[in-house]
Amino acid sequence: MPGRTELPAWKALAAHADAFANTHLRDLFAADPERGERLTVEAVGWYFDYSKNRVADDTLRLLVDLADACGLRTRIEAMWRGEKINSTEQRAALHVALRAPAGEKFTVDGADGACNDVVPEVHATLARIVDFSERVRDGTWRGFTGKPIRAIVNIGIGGSDLGPVMACEALRHYSRRDLTFRFVSNVDGTDFCEAMRDLDPAQTLFIVSSKTFTTHETLANARAARTWLLRALGDECAVGRHFVAVSTNAPEVAKFGIDPANMFGFWDWVGGRYSMDSAIGLSTMLAVGADNFRAMLGGFHAMDTHFRHAPFAHNLPVLHALLSVWNTNFLGVESVAILPYDQYLKRFPAYLQQLAMESNGKRVTQEGARADYATSPVYWGEPGTNGQHSFFQLLHQGTRRVTCDFIGFRASLNPLGDQHELLLANLLAQAKALAFGKTAAQVRAEGSPDRLVPHRTFDGNRPSNVLLAERLTPASLGALVALYEHSVFVQGVIWDIDSFDQWGVELGKQLAARIVPELHDANLPLAHDSSTNALIRRLRKT
Ligand code: G6Q
């Protein structure tokens, strides 16, 4: 297959973008009074308004052509068939199987060469975490001294942290308020010490979440946790009542001292950043209970089904992805602001940073050639309305090109006077202001002094998406996460990259391993660059 930029569909989009360069969103809306209703799609309870993107009907048609030319349909089916679409690691990426109802079939090639249906194992593990979390929640599972568990601490990092902490925050409304949840990820001792300061060891349960069980940050924190526990309880046997593990690596879990009976597994076909709905979500289940967790899986699955079957032109994740490609590759947008107008989604931007940038922040194609086009934009964000009083200035009048995803809910989980209307009004106003701006003539007509006219003018024409659902529920959260997972996958297909590996995090890890002993031992000779050598000398203990 020719390189992406050689595809006729890519070239057609490039030519189309040139012809489109001077078209303003104001013109597009003026020309089509139905635009705001027409350029929308609704799926699984999520309403997606993409009318404030700089697109015409032709653009959408050409983007679907590009998806076809890149073999998107085949790639989706390859994912569903459990093919090794993570080509550099020779693994399937079958997170859709984690939310498959019993009876659906998903197969992967086993080590023995046999084709195994993974759904029974998925449900067996689910049943085990349901059983365990119910025993903790109802007080049957007790700590070593016989007291019930009151605090749950998830120790994990990256994909073994960001999904669980995001989901726990997002679903706090549904969670058991008499249980305390903490998440320790950073190897910085401050993270652990601050998380532990007010917890009672006799009533604390640690979940050591690590796919590989070799991640040094997680193991360091897990060792610190064991020391903290044993200092208080004084008996090695306490570990069995206060530690469980979520991992694929039973031998390392056992070596750490956690009874394999208290280990919940997952599989190499689940990428870390795609694992919040596996046993890695144990903390989520402990917080919200099995029924809510299953409802979340139901939301994921409903979006999966929509993604697999809906025609591309009406497919929410596909459209979301194609618009990102359009903005990134043809309109020069460099970054995406994720703006949830819901305080419970405060960790959602951080979660998406990993999902999107670890998946698609790559500069080589599947075949190892250097991509001659942009890949993942930079993701960042904050809940509205807080962001409005900080970085929105740049969004409205800065020189950078940013797209915004506004996420909101019609009904609040915490109605307080008219504050929810105030919140929603802000969401709508920001999206409108970005799109339509304010012309110099409008500013003058308002009586502004001439010298301030340029300062008070807003160019507008800044693209945004609006995603709305009725209410933040476990199901709507699951559907939202699945939407972004699939959007990220589609973008990776268009960019011809492996969205499921993460080689880019390796080099720093290797260098850190070499520097650790050099910080400890002032006598070790240093052979780095002069900057690193000088910094090590400055930071050495002695
Ligand atoms: C995610 C990445 C990465 C991973 C962490 C933790 O997709 O692979 O963020 O989740 O490095 O790894 P472990 O779960 O193996 O500790």
Side-chain angles (χ1 to χ4, degrees):
M1 191 187 277
R4 290 306 195 233
T5 53
E6 296 306 314
L7 290 171
W10 187 287
K11 289 184 174 166
L13 277 161
H16 177 70
D18 285 345
F20 211 66
N22 296 322
T23 311
H24 197 287
L25 278 167
R26 289 181 202 126
D27 308 321
L28 293 169
F29 272 85
D32 175 7
E34 307 294 316
R35 181 181 173 90
E37 303 214 32
R38 223 165 43 74
L39 298 195
T40 64
V41 64
E42 194 159 6
V44 198
W46 279 98
Y47 178 80
F48 178 42
D49 173 1
Y50 56 93
S51 63
K52 295 194 201 73
N53 279 278
R54 293 175 54 201
V55 289
D57 291 357
D58 279 356
T59 328
L60 295 166
R61 193 175 42 71
L62 291 171
L63 285 167
V64 170
D65 289 350
L66 179 64
D68 289 335
C70 295
L72 178 59
R73 182 61 67 197
T74 314
R75 301 287 294 161
I76 294 172
E77 288 311 307
M79 174 189 262
W80 251 261
R81 275 197 303 273
E83 286 179 20
K84 296 189 165 91
I85 59 172
N86 176 354
S87 57
T88 67
E89 295 182 309
Q90 278 297 291
R91 287 179 183 164
L94 205 52
H95 38 283
V96 288
L98 295 171
R99 48 267 193 158
E104 272 196 20
K105 205 169 162 164
F106 281 92
T107 55
V108 291
D109 293 341
D112 52 0
C115 213
N116 300 314
D117 179 8
V118 298
V119 178
E121 293 177 65
V122 166
H123 281 267
T125 304
L126 193 58
R128 287 188 64 224
I129 63 170
V130 167
D131 172 65
F132 176 73
S133 59
E134 280 175 358
R135 282 190 289 144
V136 173
R137 282 163 63 91
D138 70 15
T140 317
W141 177 283
R142 292 190 171 244
F144 183 64
T145 64
K147 289 187 180 171
I149 298 298
R150 283 281 160 262
I152 287 126
V153 182
N154 185 77
I155 298 178
I157 195 165
S160 299
D161 167 68
L162 288 161
V165 71
M166 180 280 288
C168 254
E169 280 299 332
L171 300 179
R172 185 184 280 266
H173 181 78
Y174 304 88
S175 71
R176 276 271 298 267
R177 301 305 180 127
D178 57 337
L179 295 176
T180 298
F181 289 86
R182 301 271 162 83
F183 294 83
V184 176
S185 54
N186 199 330
V187 75
D188 180 347
T190 297
D191 201 12
F192 180 82
C193 292
E194 285 294 336
M196 293 304 125
R197 354 179 9 103
D198 57 345
L199 299 187
D200 172 6
Q203 297 199 284
T204 298
L205 175 74
F206 292 98
I207 305 171
V208 185
S209 296
S210 177
K211 180 174 168 179
T212 55
F213 226 80
T214 56
T215 305
H216 69 267
E217 290 93 334
T218 299
L219 292 182
N221 279 319
R223 282 191 292 270
R226 190 169 51 187
T227 305
W228 178 85
L229 183 88
L230 294 181
R231 194 175 294 139
L233 301 186
D235 188 333
E236 274 289 332
C237 298
V239 171
R241 301 305 298 171
H242 292 268
F243 277 81
V244 296
V246 182
S247 185
T248 58
N249 191 345
E252 285 300 320
V253 169
K255 216 189 277 174
F256 181 83
I258 297 176
D259 182 350
N262 296 334
M263 174 185 135
F264 305 97
F266 61 120
W267 306 273
D268 74 353
W269 44 265
V270 183
R273 55 193 175 275
Y274 297 87
S275 68
M276 59 168 275
D277 47 343
S278 70
I280 286 287
L282 177 58
S283 53
T284 313
M285 189 183 281
L286 282 159
V288 302
D291 289 348
N292 282 317
F293 195 86
R294 285 200 193 92
M296 182 180 82
L297 295 181
F300 270 101
H301 180 66
M303 188 59 81
D304 294 343
T305 306
H306 165 78
F307 171 60
R308 187 178 178 203
H309 296 295
F312 293 162
H314 305 283
N315 189 313
L316 209 172
V318 171
L319 283 170
H320 184 268
L322 293 178
L323 290 162
S324 173
V325 168
W326 168 248
N327 287 324
T328 304
N329 298 106
F330 301 97
L331 299 186
V333 165
E334 292 157 330
S335 114
V336 177
I338 302 295
L339 308 167
Y341 277 62
D342 190 297
Q343 189 63 19
Y344 285 126
L345 290 183
K346 68 181 183 194
R347 295 302 305 269
F348 196 61
Y351 169 76
L352 274 192
Q353 281 182 329
Q354 184 194 24
L355 183 70
M357 295 200 282
E358 201 167 55
S359 296
N360 288 337
K362 294 161 192 172
R363 55 156 176 63
V364 290
T365 66
Q366 298 262 12
E367 290 72 34
R370 192 172 270 267
D372 57 353
Y373 42 85
T375 59
S376 179
V378 174
Y379 282 69
W380 53 291
E382 276 289 321
T385 57
N386 296 5
Q388 290 174 211
H389 296 267
S390 112
F391 53 78
F392 270 53
Q393 167 62 42
L394 179 149
L395 299 182
H396 286 291
Q397 290 185 313
T399 54
R400 302 271 160 199
R401 297 179 196 205
V402 182
T403 22
C404 298
D405 276 10
F406 291 95
I407 302 169
F409 299 91
R410 197 194 62 79
S412 171
L413 295 174
N414 295 294
L416 194 62
D418 64 356
Q419 287 188 213
H420 194 58
E421 287 69 35
L422 204 53
L423 177 72
L424 292 179
N426 273 281
L427 182 163
L428 299 176
Q430 293 299 327
K432 180 175 175 180
L434 287 166
F436 299 102
K438 195 177 202 182
T439 63
Q442 285 172 308
V443 175
R444 270 193 213 96
E446 286 174 357
S448 173
D450 277 355
R451 71 182 176 82
L452 288 184
V453 169
H455 299 279
R456 288 182 167 169
T457 299
F458 291 68
D459 293 339
N461 213 19
R462 295 172 184 234
S464 68
N465 293 312
V466 176
L467 280 159
L468 296 179
E470 172 64 19
R471 183 185 301 270
L472 177 55
T473 62
S476 63
L477 178 71
L480 180 70
V481 174
L483 184 175
Y484 277 99
E485 284 179 348
H486 297 317
S487 173
V488 163
F489 169 58
V490 172
Q491 292 173 64
V493 170
I494 305 292
W495 292 325
D496 192 21
I497 52 187
D498 183 342
S499 299
F500 302 104
D501 61 12
Q502 55 281 315
W503 299 105
V505 298
E506 289 304 318
L507 177 60
K509 278 193 205 172
Q510 288 163 8
L511 292 176
R514 174 176 157 195
I515 291 171
V516 170
E518 295 171 343
L519 284 173
H520 273 295
D521 183 350
N523 297 319
L524 279 182
L526 298 175
H528 301 276
D529 58 277
S530 60
S531 164
T532 308
N533 286 345
L535 292 167
I536 291 173
R537 279 194 290 271
R538 179 164 283 264
L539 291 170
R540 273 174 165 168
K541 281 186 179 163
T542 49

